[in-house]
Amino acid sequence: MDSTRTVVLAGASGFIGTYLRRRFQEDGWMVRTIGRKGTGSAGAAWADDAGMARVLNGAELVVNLAGRSVSCRYSERNKGVIMDSRVSTTKALGRAIARCQEPPSTWLNASTGTIYRDARDRPQSEFDGELGTGFSVDVAKAWEAALESAVTPGTRKIPLRIAIVLGRGGGALAPFANLARLGLGGHMGDGWQKFSWVHVEDLYRSIRFLHARTGIAGPVNVASPEVVSNREMMHLVRRAYGARFGIPTPGWLLRAGAILIRTETELVLKSRWVQPQKLLDAGFVYSQPELGQALLQIARSRP
Ligand SMILES: NC(=O)c1ccc[n+]([C@@H]2O[C@H](COP(=O)([O-])OP(=O)(O)OC[C@H]3O[C@@H](n4cnc5c(N)ncnc54)[C@H](OP(=O)(O)O)[C@@H]3O)[C@@H](O)[C@H]2O)c1
């Protein structure tokens, strides 16, 4: 019998998927994929129901990361693709797992810490967090509802409410680092909005941890417990990238600039305060718990 542990990564070609693939392989796992292109015997495309079931059958873990990037203007067309690329892939995965004779024991589906309301008053845990309103919250709710409605009796399902993931080449860090290098890395808006983050290595380690801890159920917040303000975050970004000063950007300028660079200010102005209570209660130990150290490690790491 083949004793190699197998993980299926769906949406594996992006920032997080590339990192997870490398780390699982370094730790001796076999990696199979599901994506827009099904490549080779270890890969299947979303349109191929039978191929997906073949790839999933016998794997012990599946991690779904698929979704069109949210870093764009929220036009009606983009909104439709952002929503559909998450909901339809999650539903397809549920159907494929239901066809498996040996389904994975754990299905971790990406969701987002943005599901919580704009919070400046108190942290939002899985137990007492309040869900927010607006388009990105609607996406997160629909994404989690698609996971919830999948009928997979042999497979434990967990939505991962992931904070902003930091790592080399990570989409979320690059604009902050670039602004700092240009001398524009001051605080954004009033700068008191909270910044919830997690190092990509701790995302990998929390995935391994949650797979092993079979008693954990329901949504899990994946974030570092050290949440900082935007002011503190930009100070640490400037330090990591060697910028001696940083000009602050007021909210009105961000709103104008966001139109020019085709993104949304919510990505930097919303106050995200995500408390990873379930991971902490279960004894998860972070490899990068402090933002300053995490940013220095990323800035110094080689491509
Ligand atoms: N990065 C963060 O800070 C962060 C924070 C919270 C949540 N998340 C969520 O975690 C997931 C992975 O994040 P990431 O940063 O790795 O994103 P990413 O680099 O944009 O990768 C997402 C992957 O989704 C697939 N994809 C893209 N457009 C698609 C479409 N229209 N239909 C179906 N699949 C599509 C692609 O994989 P294939 O080419 O293999 O199909 C792509 O590589 C995303 O769903 C994201 O919303 C990320």
Side-chain angles (χ1 to χ4, degrees):
M1 198 179 103
D2 184 2
S3 61
T4 308
R5 307 184 75 178
T6 300
V7 58
V8 177
L9 301 177
S13 73
F15 160 55
I16 296 173
T18 302
Y19 188 88
L20 295 187
R21 177 200 280 260
R22 179 169 66 76
R23 291 293 289 113
F24 272 109
Q25 286 173 337
E26 282 172 356
D27 285 345
W29 288 59
M30 178 182 286
V31 177
R32 299 179 193 156
T33 58
I34 296 173
R36 289 167 296 174
K37 293 181 199 156
T39 44
S41 60
W46 289 110
D48 177 5
D49 282 357
M52 278 195 285
R54 174 181 48 78
V55 161
L56 288 159
N57 204 42
E60 61 177 276
L61 170 64
V62 54
V63 184
N64 180 21
L65 303 160
R68 187 232 193 271
S69 169
V70 295
S71 181
C72 59
R73 293 300 290 174
Y74 290 169
S75 64
E76 288 311 311
R77 187 176 176 282
N78 286 345
K79 281 176 24 180
V81 183
I82 288 170
M83 178 72 87
D84 184 62
S85 60
R86 287 169 173 76
V87 172
S88 66
T89 50
T90 302
K91 286 183 176 168
L93 207 45
R95 287 194 301 273
I97 291 173
R99 290 170 65 138
C100 290
Q101 284 177 333
E102 280 182 79
S105 58
T106 313
W107 172 7
L108 303 177
N109 210 63
S111 174
T112 168
T114 297
I115 198 166
Y116 297 112
R117 68 170 169 83
D118 182 291
R120 294 181 179 223
D121 54 336
R122 66 172 182 88
Q124 307 287 303
S125 81
E126 299 91 339
F127 304 105
D128 63 5
E130 296 164 69
L131 302 192
T133 53
F135 170 67
S136 50
V137 173
D138 291 344
V139 172
K141 286 179 181 169
W143 207 358
E144 292 193 6
L147 179 69
E148 176 76 32
S149 66
V151 182
T152 58
T155 303
R156 182 172 55 118
K157 304 176 292 180
I158 295 183
L160 301 178
R161 294 181 175 170
I162 308 170
I164 290 174
V165 183
L166 303 181
R168 194 173 177 95
L173 182 58
F176 296 120
N178 289 340
L179 285 171
R181 287 193 191 97
L182 292 171
L184 297 170
H187 62 264
M188 293 149 173
D190 69 13
W192 296 115
Q193 67 276 30
K194 297 286 188 185
F195 180 74
S196 265
W197 61 280
V198 65
H199 191 287
V200 67
E201 174 65 14
D202 281 325
L203 172 58
Y204 169 70
R205 293 173 70 258
S206 62
I207 286 169
R208 294 287 309 272
F209 183 88
L210 290 167
H211 176 46
R213 295 292 193 288
T214 52
I216 300 177
V220 173
N221 291 346
V222 182
S224 165
E226 191 208 62
V227 177
V228 298
S229 67
N230 174 275
R231 285 173 189 252
E232 177 69 2
M233 183 268 286
M234 290 311 295
H235 164 72
L236 295 172
V237 169
R238 290 198 299 276
R239 195 186 67 175
Y241 290 90
R244 276 176 298 160
F245 66 93
I247 301 170
T249 325
W252 65 266
L253 188 55
L254 279 170
R255 279 183 277 279
I259 295 170
L260 283 178
I261 62 168
R262 312 210 59 73
T263 188
E264 290 286 332
T265 52
E266 184 196 3
L267 300 175
V268 292
L269 291 181
K270 181 171 179 180
S271 189
R272 297 178 169 87
W273 196 345
V274 182
Q275 171 78 1
Q277 200 58 50
K278 288 189 183 174
L279 284 175
L280 292 174
D281 288 350
F284 180 72
V285 178
Y286 289 79
S287 68
Q288 292 286 350
E290 289 169 20
L291 182 57
Q293 281 305 314
L295 289 171
L296 284 171
Q297 185 270 329
I298 293 165
R300 288 171 186 164
S301 61
R302 288 197 289 167

